[in-house]
Amino acid sequence: NYQLSYQLTLLGYQLSKKFDDLYSISQTANLLANFSWSWVKHIQETENINAESVEGGLQSGMLLYTGFSMTHTLLNGICQGKNVSLLRHEASDILPFCQKTQNQWSVDCTLGQKIILQNLLGETQDKLDFRCDEIDESDYLNQEEVSRTPNAICYYYIFKAQVLYLYGELQLALASIAKAQELLAFISGTIQASTYNFYYSMILAALHPSVSPEEQQEYWTKMEANQAQMQNWANNCQENFLHKYLLVAAEMARLSSQWYEAMNLYDRAIKLAKENEFVHEEALANELAAKFWFAQEKSDFAQIYLKKAYQGYQIWGAKHKVEDLDEKYLQWLGSTRTATENNTINPITTTGSNSGETLDFAAVMKASQAISGEIVLEQLLNQVMKTV
């Protein structure tokens, strides 16, 4: 009952605020942001609520919940598709605090996510190398039964499955999502459970044509069950879940040879992901639409979607995924790669409210130089307005 959960948690949070009880604000803001909010409202808004939890915890000495909310901000940011480089720096910033306050849950979660983020960023030897500055995957997972919290391990396997799926490593992705399934009860109530649902369906859809008829039926039944749950979530919060539901539906329509329906569903998923600023899933929807059109031998259409996917993954900051597309579609991405490598002007389509406009990196550089050269507020404002 997501609506009632939200209303009750919000009431607790409002009462804490009314009595200026910083200790309770830290707890209730954490619960509101990370166990209730995203099931009924856009996940973007959890960042500010978690910030209140962090501030309340720091001021009241409730440092445990400060660490919890810092970590959930990172986890939610990954689900939201925030820039990978920014998230990687965020992980590096909060890890020392969590270690100093001996918050083992936060340390384990943050280390696991930092491994995933550094892989996406291309900071590992290759796309199947999972490690971060502090630890590599084998050491991280070998300590699982000794000290790692099951929540952290579940989050790790979910996001690893997501990354492996994006690289086209489907059997490895399936193995990772299966390991997450064993620990799923430990993350009940968190938005990451929906990430598990979504990528489990996407992995099964991708593998469906290559397995036996018996396995195909088993996969299809599981996708239908996942979709029933995803539809329930979408009914409660269209912003976070409807594009996911539509993208899985598009894949299922494709597998059923319902070409017109699949085409429509891909476009609807792209549109909603863009409107709600899930840049990584907008990119994925464009990539799958491109594959669909390549299969129909409509390479001109496919190329349009493929370039949008490439652009989306660049904005997300997933370097290894961009390199993966380069390897697989070099002949179709020539002009896109040339524009990317041009140091003078690099226009990238944004996914915000002004999605029809472009972000001119040359102008951004000019603005940053103007800002760095000014320390007087009035002069800074003049310089920024001139640049605009």
Side-chain angles (χ1 to χ4, degrees):
N1 193 332
Y2 299 107
Q3 297 294 335
L4 181 58
S5 169
Y6 166 73
Q7 291 166 11
L8 292 173
T9 316
L10 179 63
L11 178 59
Y13 167 73
Q14 290 171 335
L15 285 169
S16 299
K17 298 263 287 184
K18 178 179 179 180
F19 295 106
D20 197 26
D21 183 348
L22 294 173
Y23 187 90
S24 292
I25 288 173
S26 184
Q27 292 177 299
T28 57
N30 174 275
L31 293 170
L32 175 63
N34 306 307
F35 293 89
S36 294
W37 188 278
S38 296
W39 301 113
V40 297
K41 291 183 179 292
H42 200 299
I43 191 174
Q44 282 183 344
E45 299 168 41
T46 63
E47 188 168 359
N48 289 334
I49 305 171
N50 270 319
E52 284 197 63
S53 174
V54 169
E55 185 63 24
L58 289 173
Q59 290 190 33
S60 67
M62 187 66 164
L63 300 183
L64 185 66
Y65 273 84
T66 298
F68 287 165
S69 292
M70 286 178 170
T71 306
H72 275 295
T73 300
L74 175 66
L75 290 164
N76 291 349
I78 296 172
C79 288
Q80 184 185 328
K82 288 179 65 177
N83 180 268
V84 178
S85 181
L86 294 178
L87 290 171
R88 180 245 193 272
H89 288 297
E90 190 175 309
S92 296
D93 289 342
I94 68 176
L95 190 58
F97 174 86
C98 297
Q99 290 170 330
K100 187 174 182 180
T101 56
Q102 299 180 19
N103 188 332
Q104 191 62 48
W105 180 88
S106 291
V107 169
D108 290 346
C109 287
T110 304
L111 278 174
Q113 300 319 302
K114 197 176 178 192
I115 291 172
I116 299 298
L117 293 166
Q118 289 197 214
N119 175 282
L120 273 173
L121 273 172
E123 294 181 357
T124 55
Q125 224 171 12
D126 56 62
K127 64 186 181 183
L128 297 182
D129 181 20
F130 288 86
R131 66 180 67 241
C132 66
D133 295 335
E134 292 79 8
I135 195 169
D136 62 29
E137 183 187 57
S138 59
D139 290 335
Y140 178 74
L141 294 175
N142 283 342
Q143 296 182 51
E144 175 182 348
E145 295 182 3
V146 180
S147 64
R148 303 285 175 223
T149 56
N151 316 60
I153 298 299
C154 187
Y155 292 139
Y156 177 77
Y157 279 130
I158 289 171
F159 289 122
K160 184 181 179 184
Q162 174 184 345
V163 170
L164 289 168
Y165 166 76
L166 291 176
Y167 297 158
E169 299 290 342
L170 300 178
Q171 290 297 337
L172 293 176
L174 184 63
S176 187
I177 209 75
K179 289 179 179 177
Q181 186 176 27
E182 296 172 6
L183 301 168
L184 205 58
F186 290 99
I187 67 164
S188 178
T190 65
I191 192 70
Q192 288 72 30
S194 70
T195 304
Y196 160 86
N197 175 302
F198 176 59
Y199 282 99
Y200 192 9
S201 292
M202 298 303 288
I203 292 164
L204 293 178
L207 284 169
H208 189 273
S210 63
V211 298
S212 67
E214 293 77 15
E215 287 176 305
Q216 285 183 342
Q217 183 57 50
E218 181 184 335
Y219 284 10
W220 195 266
T221 301
K222 182 59 182 176
M223 284 189 285
E224 287 181 328
N226 284 349
Q227 280 292 81
Q229 178 64 73
M230 188 65 77
Q231 186 170 36
N232 182 31
W233 289 330
N235 290 340
N236 281 279
C237 183
Q238 175 177 310
E239 297 93 331
N240 292 337
F241 305 111
L242 185 54
H243 69 279
K244 295 180 175 68
Y245 175 83
L246 292 172
L247 189 53
V248 174
E251 287 287 86
M252 294 177 76
R254 174 183 61 81
L255 292 170
S256 302
S257 301
Q258 297 173 340
W259 310 128
Y260 181 79
E261 185 178 355
M263 177 176 57
N264 182 48
L265 287 166
Y266 284 126
D267 285 341
R268 289 176 63 196
I270 291 166
K271 181 176 182 290
L272 280 174
K274 186 172 187 174
E275 287 177 358
N276 292 297
E277 300 186 42
F278 290 90
V279 64
H280 60 324
E281 287 162 0
E282 179 192 350
L284 173 58
N286 272 299
E287 181 185 0
L288 292 174
K291 289 180 178 180
F292 169 81
W293 284 114
F294 276 128
Q296 305 306 311
E297 299 183 352
K298 301 287 187 182
S299 57
D300 289 346
F301 289 160
Q303 191 173 12
I304 294 170
Y305 287 98
L306 185 61
K307 288 184 177 181
K308 287 182 179 179
Y310 190 88
Q311 202 170 63
Y313 287 128
Q314 284 183 311
I315 295 170
W316 186 30
K319 183 181 177 182
H320 264 157
K321 176 57 183 176
V322 172
E323 291 173 349
D324 183 63
L325 286 183
D326 276 333
E327 292 173 8
K328 293 174 180 175
Y329 300 102
L330 180 60
Q331 62 174 320
W332 303 106
L333 290 169
S335 58
T336 304
R337 295 173 73 247
T338 302
T340 301
E341 292 159 6
N342 189 324
N343 292 324
T344 307
I345 296 179
N346 180 15
I348 295 181
T349 304
T350 64
T351 56
S353 57
N354 297 319
S355 57
E357 299 176 3
T358 59
L359 178 64
D360 185 339
F361 276 13
V364 172
M365 290 303 297
K366 184 178 178 183
S368 66
Q369 290 164 3
I371 291 169
S372 64
E374 292 291 352
I375 58 173
V376 180
L377 186 58
E378 290 182 358
Q379 294 174 355
L380 171 59
L381 182 59
N382 288 335
Q383 285 292 334
V384 171
M385 291 306 296
K386 286 177 183 176
T387 305
V388 172

